[in-house]
mmCIF file of all heavy atoms in Angstrom:
data_model
loop_
_atom_site.group_PDB
_atom_site.id
_atom_site.type_symbol
_atom_site.label_atom_id
_atom_site.label_comp_id
_atom_site.label_asym_id
_atom_site.label_seq_id
_atom_site.Cartn_x
_atom_site.Cartn_y
_atom_site.Cartn_z
ATOM 1 N N VAL A 174 10.572 14.202 -13.602
ATOM 2 C CA VAL A 174 9.301 14.787 -13.830
ATOM 3 C C VAL A 174 8.476 14.778 -12.611
ATOM 4 O O VAL A 174 8.329 13.873 -11.794
ATOM 5 C CB VAL A 174 8.577 13.974 -14.956
ATOM 6 C CG1 VAL A 174 7.042 14.560 -14.913
ATOM 7 C CG2 VAL A 174 9.141 14.081 -16.280
ATOM 8 N N VAL A 175 8.025 16.075 -12.231
ATOM 9 C CA VAL A 175 7.148 16.146 -11.065
ATOM 10 C C VAL A 175 5.731 16.556 -11.503
ATOM 11 O O VAL A 175 5.592 17.498 -12.240
ATOM 12 C CB VAL A 175 7.733 17.329 -10.188
ATOM 13 C CG1 VAL A 175 6.950 17.394 -8.778
ATOM 14 C CG2 VAL A 175 9.153 17.090 -9.783
ATOM 15 N N ASP A 176 4.728 15.798 -10.968
ATOM 16 C CA ASP A 176 3.374 16.019 -11.313
ATOM 17 C C ASP A 176 2.518 15.415 -10.252
ATOM 18 O O ASP A 176 2.902 14.482 -9.558
ATOM 19 C CB ASP A 176 3.028 15.456 -12.735
ATOM 20 C CG ASP A 176 1.927 16.181 -13.389
ATOM 21 O OD1 ASP A 176 0.803 16.442 -12.704
ATOM 22 O OD2 ASP A 176 2.054 16.483 -14.577
ATOM 23 N N THR A 177 1.247 15.817 -10.243
ATOM 24 C CA THR A 177 0.278 15.256 -9.274
ATOM 25 C C THR A 177 -0.669 14.227 -9.982
ATOM 26 O O THR A 177 -1.349 13.572 -9.414
ATOM 27 C CB THR A 177 -0.637 16.254 -8.713
ATOM 28 O OG1 THR A 177 -1.287 17.099 -9.736
ATOM 29 C CG2 THR A 177 0.251 17.285 -7.846
ATOM 30 N N ASP A 178 -0.595 14.331 -11.393
ATOM 31 C CA ASP A 178 -1.408 13.277 -12.217
ATOM 32 C C ASP A 178 -0.578 11.951 -12.325
ATOM 33 O O ASP A 178 0.368 11.901 -13.035
ATOM 34 C CB ASP A 178 -1.762 13.919 -13.502
ATOM 35 C CG ASP A 178 -2.668 13.038 -14.330
ATOM 36 O OD1 ASP A 178 -3.064 12.001 -13.925
ATOM 37 O OD2 ASP A 178 -3.023 13.524 -15.464
ATOM 38 N N GLN A 179 -1.172 10.873 -11.742
ATOM 39 C CA GLN A 179 -0.534 9.613 -11.846
ATOM 40 C C GLN A 179 -0.354 9.101 -13.261
ATOM 41 O O GLN A 179 0.519 8.421 -13.749
ATOM 42 C CB GLN A 179 -1.181 8.607 -10.963
ATOM 43 C CG GLN A 179 -0.381 7.331 -10.729
ATOM 44 C CD GLN A 179 1.031 7.371 -10.320
ATOM 45 O OE1 GLN A 179 1.287 8.095 -9.184
ATOM 46 N NE2 GLN A 179 2.099 6.961 -10.971
ATOM 47 N N ALA A 180 -1.493 9.372 -14.123
ATOM 48 C CA ALA A 180 -1.489 8.910 -15.440
ATOM 49 C C ALA A 180 -0.347 9.615 -16.192
ATOM 50 O O ALA A 180 0.368 8.899 -17.021
ATOM 51 C CB ALA A 180 -2.790 9.174 -16.182
ATOM 52 N N ALA A 181 -0.084 10.864 -16.008
ATOM 53 C CA ALA A 181 1.056 11.604 -16.622
ATOM 54 C C ALA A 181 2.356 10.997 -16.159
ATOM 55 O O ALA A 181 3.266 10.834 -17.039
ATOM 56 C CB ALA A 181 0.984 13.081 -16.387
ATOM 57 N N LEU A 182 2.501 10.661 -14.930
ATOM 58 C CA LEU A 182 3.743 10.120 -14.440
ATOM 59 C C LEU A 182 4.007 8.692 -15.105
ATOM 60 O O LEU A 182 5.113 8.303 -15.333
ATOM 61 C CB LEU A 182 3.689 10.069 -12.846
ATOM 62 C CG LEU A 182 3.597 11.398 -12.124
ATOM 63 C CD1 LEU A 182 3.568 11.188 -10.685
ATOM 64 C CD2 LEU A 182 4.824 12.241 -12.588
ATOM 65 N N ASP A 183 2.848 7.968 -15.197
ATOM 66 C CA ASP A 183 3.078 6.627 -15.761
ATOM 67 C C ASP A 183 3.600 6.738 -17.224
ATOM 68 O O ASP A 183 4.383 5.990 -17.667
ATOM 69 C CB ASP A 183 1.681 5.961 -15.802
ATOM 70 C CG ASP A 183 1.291 5.481 -14.431
ATOM 71 O OD1 ASP A 183 2.275 5.450 -13.501
ATOM 72 O OD2 ASP A 183 0.208 5.255 -14.152
ATOM 73 N N ALA A 184 3.050 7.804 -17.997
ATOM 74 C CA ALA A 184 3.557 7.980 -19.330
ATOM 75 C C ALA A 184 5.062 8.441 -19.403
ATOM 76 O O ALA A 184 5.763 8.079 -20.278
ATOM 77 C CB ALA A 184 2.668 9.092 -20.019
ATOM 78 N N ALA A 185 5.381 9.245 -18.333
ATOM 79 C CA ALA A 185 6.820 9.630 -18.196
ATOM 80 C C ALA A 185 7.667 8.489 -17.925
ATOM 81 O O ALA A 185 8.787 8.301 -18.441
ATOM 82 C CB ALA A 185 6.946 10.741 -17.138
ATOM 83 N N GLY A 186 7.111 7.569 -17.071
ATOM 84 C CA GLY A 186 7.927 6.392 -16.638
ATOM 85 C C GLY A 186 8.299 5.414 -17.886
ATOM 86 O O GLY A 186 9.271 4.833 -18.000
ATOM 87 N N VAL A 187 7.239 5.434 -18.789
ATOM 88 C CA VAL A 187 7.481 4.636 -20.079
ATOM 89 C C VAL A 187 8.656 5.006 -20.829
ATOM 90 O O VAL A 187 9.349 4.283 -21.498
ATOM 91 C CB VAL A 187 6.064 4.666 -20.915
ATOM 92 C CG1 VAL A 187 6.400 3.981 -22.243
ATOM 93 C CG2 VAL A 187 5.008 3.959 -20.190
ATOM 94 N N LEU A 188 8.944 6.322 -20.733
ATOM 95 C CA LEU A 188 10.053 6.924 -21.514
ATOM 96 C C LEU A 188 11.379 6.680 -20.702
ATOM 97 O O LEU A 188 12.456 7.073 -21.193
ATOM 98 C CB LEU A 188 9.876 8.470 -21.743
ATOM 99 C CG LEU A 188 8.660 8.832 -22.557
ATOM 100 C CD1 LEU A 188 8.451 10.369 -22.691
ATOM 101 C CD2 LEU A 188 8.750 8.239 -23.935
ATOM 102 N N GLY A 189 11.293 6.051 -19.524
ATOM 103 C CA GLY A 189 12.485 5.828 -18.787
ATOM 104 C C GLY A 189 12.888 6.973 -17.889
ATOM 105 O O GLY A 189 14.129 7.076 -17.426
ATOM 106 N N LEU A 190 11.977 7.834 -17.565
ATOM 107 C CA LEU A 190 12.258 9.085 -16.784
ATOM 108 C C LEU A 190 11.985 8.735 -15.307
ATOM 109 O O LEU A 190 11.065 7.887 -14.955
ATOM 110 C CB LEU A 190 11.320 10.269 -17.169
ATOM 111 C CG LEU A 190 11.409 10.623 -18.654
ATOM 112 C CD1 LEU A 190 10.484 11.723 -18.836
ATOM 113 C CD2 LEU A 190 12.732 10.805 -19.148
ATOM 114 N N VAL A 191 12.650 9.352 -14.322
ATOM 115 C CA VAL A 191 12.416 9.288 -12.895
ATOM 116 C C VAL A 191 11.220 10.253 -12.666
ATOM 117 O O VAL A 191 11.246 11.397 -13.145
ATOM 118 C CB VAL A 191 13.617 9.711 -12.134
ATOM 119 C CG1 VAL A 191 13.325 9.649 -10.606
ATOM 120 C CG2 VAL A 191 14.841 8.770 -12.416
ATOM 121 N N THR A 192 10.233 9.723 -11.840
ATOM 122 C CA THR A 192 9.038 10.596 -11.599
ATOM 123 C C THR A 192 8.886 10.802 -10.210
ATOM 124 O O THR A 192 9.276 9.865 -9.337
ATOM 125 C CB THR A 192 7.848 9.943 -12.212
ATOM 126 O OG1 THR A 192 7.516 8.700 -11.562
ATOM 127 C CG2 THR A 192 7.947 9.721 -13.696
ATOM 128 N N VAL A 193 8.303 11.925 -9.811
ATOM 129 C CA VAL A 193 8.004 12.308 -8.329
ATOM 130 C C VAL A 193 6.465 12.692 -8.303
ATOM 131 O O VAL A 193 6.171 13.592 -9.052
ATOM 132 C CB VAL A 193 8.945 13.331 -7.734
ATOM 133 C CG1 VAL A 193 8.524 13.690 -6.373
ATOM 134 C CG2 VAL A 193 10.409 12.887 -7.815
ATOM 135 N N HIS A 194 5.811 12.050 -7.419
ATOM 136 C CA HIS A 194 4.354 12.212 -7.445
ATOM 137 C C HIS A 194 4.148 13.301 -6.200
ATOM 138 O O HIS A 194 4.473 13.077 -5.017
ATOM 139 C CB HIS A 194 3.566 11.041 -6.969
ATOM 140 C CG HIS A 194 2.041 11.241 -7.012
ATOM 141 N ND1 HIS A 194 1.446 11.753 -5.985
ATOM 142 C CD2 HIS A 194 1.103 10.982 -7.994
ATOM 143 C CE1 HIS A 194 0.107 11.805 -6.125
ATOM 144 N NE2 HIS A 194 -0.058 11.446 -7.380
ATOM 145 N N GLY A 195 3.618 14.453 -6.662
ATOM 146 C CA GLY A 195 3.339 15.475 -5.549
ATOM 147 C C GLY A 195 3.357 16.882 -6.172
ATOM 148 O O GLY A 195 3.564 16.994 -7.449
ATOM 149 N N SER A 196 2.962 17.800 -5.412
ATOM 150 C CA SER A 196 2.756 19.289 -5.922
ATOM 151 C C SER A 196 4.162 19.877 -5.844
ATOM 152 O O SER A 196 4.754 20.032 -4.775
ATOM 153 C CB SER A 196 1.786 20.029 -5.094
ATOM 154 O OG SER A 196 1.727 21.342 -5.516
ATOM 155 N N ALA A 197 4.654 20.527 -6.889
ATOM 156 C CA ALA A 197 5.879 21.132 -6.976
ATOM 157 C C ALA A 197 5.936 22.470 -6.247
ATOM 158 O O ALA A 197 6.942 23.110 -6.076
ATOM 159 C CB ALA A 197 6.342 21.394 -8.440
ATOM 160 N N THR A 198 4.739 22.969 -5.790
ATOM 161 C CA THR A 198 4.673 24.115 -4.989
ATOM 162 C C THR A 198 5.188 23.956 -3.605
ATOM 163 O O THR A 198 5.439 24.853 -2.794
ATOM 164 C CB THR A 198 3.140 24.667 -4.953
ATOM 165 O OG1 THR A 198 2.363 23.731 -4.370
ATOM 166 C CG2 THR A 198 2.714 24.951 -6.192
ATOM 167 N N ARG A 199 5.360 22.638 -3.221
ATOM 168 C CA ARG A 199 5.888 22.306 -1.852
ATOM 169 C C ARG A 199 7.412 22.088 -2.006
ATOM 170 O O ARG A 199 7.915 21.313 -2.798
ATOM 171 C CB ARG A 199 5.195 21.062 -1.368
ATOM 172 C CG ARG A 199 3.659 21.207 -1.021
ATOM 173 C CD ARG A 199 3.121 19.820 -0.647
ATOM 174 N NE ARG A 199 3.887 19.269 0.456
ATOM 175 C CZ ARG A 199 3.717 18.034 0.956
ATOM 176 N NH1 ARG A 199 2.718 17.255 0.327
ATOM 177 N NH2 ARG A 199 4.336 17.578 2.063
ATOM 178 N N SER A 200 8.114 22.722 -1.012
ATOM 179 C CA SER A 200 9.555 22.614 -1.103
ATOM 180 C C SER A 200 10.058 21.182 -0.886
ATOM 181 O O SER A 200 11.083 20.813 -1.471
ATOM 182 C CB SER A 200 10.195 23.622 -0.108
ATOM 183 O OG SER A 200 9.806 23.239 1.227
ATOM 184 N N ASP A 201 9.370 20.504 -0.023
ATOM 185 C CA ASP A 201 9.942 19.124 0.176
ATOM 186 C C ASP A 201 9.712 18.151 -1.031
ATOM 187 O O ASP A 201 10.594 17.275 -1.185
ATOM 188 C CB ASP A 201 9.197 18.521 1.439
ATOM 189 C CG ASP A 201 7.644 18.444 1.309
ATOM 190 O OD1 ASP A 201 7.202 19.130 0.465
ATOM 191 O OD2 ASP A 201 6.992 17.713 2.070
ATOM 192 N N VAL A 202 8.721 18.421 -1.840
ATOM 193 C CA VAL A 202 8.558 17.607 -3.048
ATOM 194 C C VAL A 202 9.625 17.866 -3.991
ATOM 195 O O VAL A 202 10.296 17.005 -4.597
ATOM 196 C CB VAL A 202 7.202 17.911 -3.678
ATOM 197 C CG1 VAL A 202 7.076 17.188 -5.092
ATOM 198 C CG2 VAL A 202 6.047 17.410 -2.883
ATOM 199 N N LEU A 203 10.051 19.306 -4.182
ATOM 200 C CA LEU A 203 11.179 19.642 -4.928
ATOM 201 C C LEU A 203 12.511 19.061 -4.406
ATOM 202 O O LEU A 203 13.536 18.794 -5.133
ATOM 203 C CB LEU A 203 11.238 21.081 -5.089
ATOM 204 C CG LEU A 203 10.058 21.726 -5.892
ATOM 205 C CD1 LEU A 203 10.280 23.256 -6.016
ATOM 206 C CD2 LEU A 203 10.081 21.230 -7.430
ATOM 207 N N ARG A 204 12.606 19.051 -3.121
ATOM 208 C CA ARG A 204 13.903 18.472 -2.471
ATOM 209 C C ARG A 204 14.012 16.974 -2.851
ATOM 210 O O ARG A 204 15.072 16.562 -3.161
ATOM 211 C CB ARG A 204 13.865 18.664 -0.967
ATOM 212 C CG ARG A 204 14.090 20.040 -0.458
ATOM 213 C CD ARG A 204 14.164 20.127 1.001
ATOM 214 N NE ARG A 204 14.368 21.433 1.464
ATOM 215 C CZ ARG A 204 15.463 22.066 1.652
ATOM 216 N NH1 ARG A 204 16.578 21.398 1.354
ATOM 217 N NH2 ARG A 204 15.568 23.258 2.190
ATOM 218 N N VAL A 205 12.822 16.272 -2.779
ATOM 219 C CA VAL A 205 12.842 14.882 -3.163
ATOM 220 C C VAL A 205 13.262 14.662 -4.626
ATOM 221 O O VAL A 205 13.964 13.744 -4.969
ATOM 222 C CB VAL A 205 11.514 14.282 -2.881
ATOM 223 C CG1 VAL A 205 11.395 12.835 -3.518
ATOM 224 C CG2 VAL A 205 11.244 14.082 -1.446
#
Side-chain angles (χ1 to χ4, degrees):
V174 173
V175 181
D176 207 314
T177 56
D178 184 358
Q179 188 57 52
L182 295 179
D183 292 340
V187 171
L188 299 176
L190 312 180
V191 179
T192 62
V193 175
H194 186 279
S196 174
T198 59
R199 295 176 54 188
S200 61
D201 56 342
V202 172
L203 290 180
R204 285 182 183 273
V205 168

